[in-house]
Amino acid sequence: MIRLLKLEYLKNLNYVPFKVFAGLYFVILVVLLFIGLIDFDIFGQTINLKEQGMYDFPGVWNFTTYTVALLKIFLGCIIVFSICQEFSNRMFKQNVIDGLSREEFIASKLLTILVFTAFSTFLVFVIAFILGKSYSTTQDSHLIFKEVYFVFNYFLKLLTFFSFLMFLSVLFRKSIFVFLGFFMVWFAEKIIGGIEHISIIKNVNDIEREKFLNTHTFYSDFLPLESMSRLIPSPLVRTKLAQIFGIEFKFVYPWESVIACLICATVFIVGSYWILKRKDW
Amino acid sequence: MEKILEVKNLTKKFKHIAVNNISFDVEKGNVYGLLGPNGSGKSTTFGMLLSTINPTSGSWKWFGKEGTDTNTLKRIGAIIEQPNFYPYLSAEKNLEIVAEIKGAPKSRIDAVLEEVNLLDRKKDAFKTYSLGMKQRLAIASALLANPEVLILDEPTNGLDPEGIIQIREIINKIAKSGTTIIVASHLLDEIEKICSHVIVLKQGTAIYSGSVDAMSNTKGFFELKADNIMELVSVLESFGIFSSVKEMDHLIIAQISTDISASELNKKLFENGISLSHLQKKRESLETQFLELVKQNNL
């Protein structure tokens, strides 16, 4: 394992763009966590996310993980380019000829993903904790870690997302096709979800409709990208502003989505290996 | 003789048959040439033996062990088709990666770079290298883990004459050290100059496998010239030791059927009153032998 990490270190960290963009990602991530301290001017109204409860325990875990998860595509690009260049430079083939097994190749890429995901998660945890300690209106000890599971969900979300990108990279081997493929899957999920919702809802009367939507489990909820997004719900409904409008925040821990993500990640990793094994290089 | 590689009935079908049921053995310490025109299945054969291409059928043994696993690959040094390296990394960093994969000591890096004359450029990025330097770096990389077998696929492809000579010298040096070498090429004189054994491929089929010397079953021919051509021809025919006597470009070509040395022939002709202005015993070049083989095996 140390050997594989060293290999990835040699391949990636000597590549200046990789180093620069990976560093930039973490800088932006940290900056984004402090976004609540800034006053926004929206339609003449001053909005300050801190005032809206962004750093209040226990919601701080939801707010911070949701916000920085938006950055994952940035890190995703770095990972996609790093994997695709192995194929475009014919280095995967050369690595295999030199004596690196296909298992080791996948494991080394997975390790890179794990290192980035773990470090990103660690940063979010530490900084969110400090921000909560500094700015939260409540410091009740039982509230502090009440929703800390969002940090785990963030880890899983990133891991599944990057496994998905790794799979697409191995499948298409050209970064432009990886992104096209990604958007295709995204559209496809939205369309499938839309069709399922419409076809089921038309049998439900108007009065029960809202309640039904909140309780019914749709098959399309288990699609990869949808499962990932369900791990961390949008915290906008938790803002004080939303509460004024009478929107209530209801959240049940998404066990189904956690399991769906674990299965998806496994399928993507095994699938990547299968492609490497089956294809002639 | 110890067998490094035994290939049995190896076949690969893509949409067409790329390699068709080929079998050959590679013995330790020899230099083997895999000879064939472009598209005859040389690279596909190497791809299968190096585990990058899944075979359709057939089997092979490296060092007496079935198939190709990562430990086997670490005992082989191979360059295929073109030199593959991370373009943004220096030669040194690239070789560090190879050393890490093969489990070779880092101290070997400078040694192999020295061997291919690239030591002073080791800090430069691979993409700044000329084709000849890239090819030499590929050989350095293949030599890194002190391989028992060296596989070279078209090592002089696209090089200028100087580059070709440099590569040939390196290969000869390696061959002298006792390393088994398998080199694929479509360049006949290339193979002729460095190989002791040859496997000839044509459209995926091995049409010959054996030593370069035994490739042609003819005993060679004489090139002769004398003032009186007509007389020379009739005297040569009267000896009965030539399968044919023909005139070609003002030279008499006499195909040998019963072996005779040049001095012996010279003596006999002199006794018959013929003094030669030119006499040379020759073997068919690999090129003629190759073309002959390909013609015989017209599929």
Side-chain angles (χ1 to χ4, degrees):
Chain A
M1 199 170 106
I2 300 288
R3 170 173 164 260
L4 297 180
L5 273 174
K6 215 167 149 196
L7 212 52
E8 282 295 296
Y9 170 83
L10 282 168
K11 285 179 185 176
N12 293 326
L13 287 186
N14 287 308
Y15 188 38
V16 177
F18 184 95
K19 217 163 36 180
V20 170
F21 283 110
L24 221 53
Y25 163 77
F26 288 112
V27 170
I28 296 171
L29 183 137
V30 171
V31 169
L32 201 60
L33 284 170
F34 287 90
I35 198 170
L37 303 179
I38 304 164
D39 288 334
F40 289 101
D41 218 16
I42 299 168
F43 306 122
Q45 279 239 299
T46 310
I47 304 265
N48 181 298
L49 285 169
K50 185 182 67 161
E51 302 299 322
Q52 295 296 327
M54 183 178 176
Y55 298 141
D56 287 344
F57 287 121
V60 60
W61 303 116
N62 190 181
F63 273 100
T64 51
T65 52
Y66 183 83
T67 311
V68 293
L70 299 172
L71 280 180
K72 66 184 186 300
I73 190 72
F74 191 98
L75 194 51
C77 289
I78 300 175
I79 289 169
V80 167
F81 281 115
S82 149
I83 297 177
C84 286
Q85 66 92 18
E86 297 273 7
F87 298 109
S88 59
N89 289 326
R90 299 159 175 255
M91 288 317 291
F92 168 69
K93 188 176 174 181
Q94 190 61 44
N95 283 173
V96 167
I97 288 169
D98 286 337
L100 191 75
S101 69
R102 288 155 170 83
E103 290 90 336
E104 286 172 324
F105 183 83
I106 290 291
S108 73
K109 294 302 165 201
L110 203 56
L111 274 172
T112 308
I113 288 173
L114 275 172
V115 167
F116 276 116
T117 307
F119 189 58
S120 179
T121 309
F122 173 76
L123 268 184
V124 172
F125 173 76
V126 170
I127 294 172
F129 184 72
I130 293 168
L131 286 169
K133 272 289 179 193
S134 317
Y135 299 109
S136 176
T137 45
T138 53
Q139 293 290 345
D140 276 358
S141 56
H142 79 279
L143 283 177
I144 290 178
F145 291 115
K146 195 182 159 212
E147 290 180 19
V148 78
Y149 51 72
F150 278 117
V151 176
F152 166 76
N153 286 16
Y154 175 74
F155 179 83
L156 183 63
K157 183 176 171 130
L158 258 61
L159 186 68
T160 314
F161 183 69
F162 296 146
S163 304
F164 180 45
L165 290 183
M166 174 173 82
F167 174 74
L168 291 179
S169 303
V170 171
L171 184 66
F172 295 122
R173 299 184 299 283
K174 284 206 172 68
S175 38
I176 184 74
F177 294 127
V178 172
F179 295 119
L180 285 175
F182 175 77
F183 285 116
M184 284 300 158
V185 172
W186 193 56
F187 281 130
E189 278 200 14
K190 290 286 170 214
I191 291 166
I192 293 168
I195 291 171
E196 196 192 4
H197 276 73
I198 290 165
S199 62
I200 289 179
I201 276 180
K202 70 174 181 226
N203 304 321
V204 182
N205 63 48
D206 288 352
I207 308 145
E208 287 172 22
R209 189 165 285 176
E210 196 177 336
K211 195 182 161 214
F212 180 81
L213 275 175
N214 284 329
T215 50
H216 186 77
T217 307
F218 295 91
Y219 287 113
S220 53
D221 293 350
F222 297 103
L223 292 169
L225 293 174
E226 185 61 30
S227 303
M228 286 177 225
S229 87
R230 281 172 172 269
L231 287 177
I232 304 172
S234 168
L236 286 178
V237 294
R238 306 180 76 148
T239 56
K240 298 219 168 87
L241 201 65
Q243 280 162 18
I244 292 167
F245 286 110
I247 300 169
E248 216 182 320
F249 176 69
K250 276 178 291 186
F251 181 68
V252 188
Y253 190 75
W255 281 111
E256 304 96 321
S257 301
V258 169
I259 291 164
C261 279
L262 286 171
I263 292 172
C264 284
T266 312
V267 168
F268 293 140
I269 294 162
V270 174
S272 307
Y273 171 70
W274 189 78
I275 293 170
L276 291 185
K277 195 93 192 163
R278 277 289 307 258
K279 209 184 129 48
D280 291 323
W281 298 93
Chain B
M1 202 78 172
E2 195 187 327
K3 276 186 182 144
I4 295 279
L5 172 66
E6 295 163 74
V7 179
K8 276 203 186 72
N9 310 107
L10 193 58
T11 299
K12 177 67 189 182
K13 275 184 201 138
F14 293 110
K15 281 186 184 102
H16 61 286
I17 295 175
V19 174
N20 188 12
N21 200 27
I22 67 168
S23 303
F24 61 89
D25 289 349
V26 170
E27 281 168 356
K28 197 181 160 92
N30 290 332
V31 180
Y32 282 78
L34 197 57
L35 191 58
N38 291 328
S40 59
K42 301 185 297 280
S43 298
T44 309
T45 305
F46 280 160
M48 287 188 279
L49 297 177
L50 295 170
S51 85
T52 61
I53 296 176
N54 300 306
T56 307
S57 66
S59 67
W60 66 88
K61 281 181 187 170
W62 277 112
F63 313 109
K65 205 169 141 219
E66 200 72 39
T68 307
D69 61 21
T70 52
N71 283 326
T72 304
L73 286 166
K74 285 169 191 166
R75 298 167 70 181
I76 302 169
I79 20 172
I80 41 153
E81 287 162 76
Q82 65 180 64
N84 294 325
F85 291 97
Y86 294 98
Y88 53 86
L89 293 181
S90 68
E92 192 182 27
K93 290 279 178 213
N94 266 301
L95 292 188
E96 263 181 56
I97 290 173
V98 179
E100 199 62 52
I101 292 175
K102 288 201 176 267
K106 290 239 171 66
S107 56
R108 283 282 298 158
I109 294 173
D110 279 4
V112 290
L113 283 174
E114 176 81 71
E115 206 161 331
V116 297
N117 220 348
L118 280 176
L119 196 53
D120 53 332
R121 291 289 305 266
K122 73 171 180 178
K123 298 276 182 207
D124 296 347
F126 174 72
K127 61 181 170 205
T128 66
Y129 279 26
S130 72
L131 185 58
M133 291 164 73
K134 286 177 177 177
Q135 201 64 263
R136 268 157 37 215
L137 183 63
I139 292 180
S141 160
L143 290 175
L144 198 63
N146 281 313
E148 292 161 66
V149 197
L150 199 59
I151 290 184
L152 307 165
D153 193 357
E154 305 279 7
T156 58
N157 217 2
L159 296 185
D160 57 20
E162 198 196 343
I164 292 176
I165 292 165
Q166 280 175 341
I167 299 284
R168 192 180 294 149
E169 277 169 0
I170 294 169
I171 295 174
N172 275 327
K173 207 163 77 183
I174 301 162
K176 278 198 193 101
S177 71
T179 308
T180 311
I181 301 177
I182 310 174
V183 49
S185 183
H186 63 274
L187 301 172
L188 295 144
D189 61 325
E190 191 65 52
I191 298 275
E192 195 169 22
K193 284 194 177 93
I194 52 183
C195 299
S196 56
H197 290 69
V198 66
I199 299 142
V200 181
L201 289 185
K202 193 196 169 193
Q203 290 170 352
T205 311
I207 54 178
Y208 177 77
S209 169
S211 74
V212 172
D213 294 336
M215 189 165 155
S216 151
N217 45 21
T218 68
K219 297 187 174 66
F221 61 92
F222 282 106
E223 268 179 21
L224 310 103
K225 204 173 177 181
D227 294 340
N228 192 335
I229 298 269
M230 300 297 282
E231 203 187 337
L232 176 63
V233 171
S234 65
V235 170
L236 284 173
E237 277 171 345
S238 71
F239 289 161
I241 54 171
F242 299 109
S243 56
S244 75
V245 179
K246 275 182 279 187
E247 192 186 339
M248 201 188 280
D249 302 332
H250 310 294
L251 282 173
I252 302 298
I253 307 290
Q255 291 286 342
I256 306 165
S257 62
T258 312
D259 208 9
I260 180 170
S261 73
S263 57
E264 230 175 307
L265 180 69
N266 194 11
K267 206 172 130 200
K268 276 181 97 166
L269 285 169
F270 195 72
E271 283 163 7
N272 283 278
I274 293 170
S275 45
L276 295 167
S277 56
H278 175 88
L279 172 67
Q280 197 171 17
K281 190 175 181 179
K282 278 190 170 174
R283 293 196 72 98
E284 277 87 354
S285 72
L286 198 59
E287 187 169 303
T288 25
Q289 294 178 49
F290 174 71
L291 291 174
E292 198 59 36
L293 259 174
V294 171
K295 232 187 287 168
Q296 281 167 21
N297 289 276
N298 245 326
L299 301 169

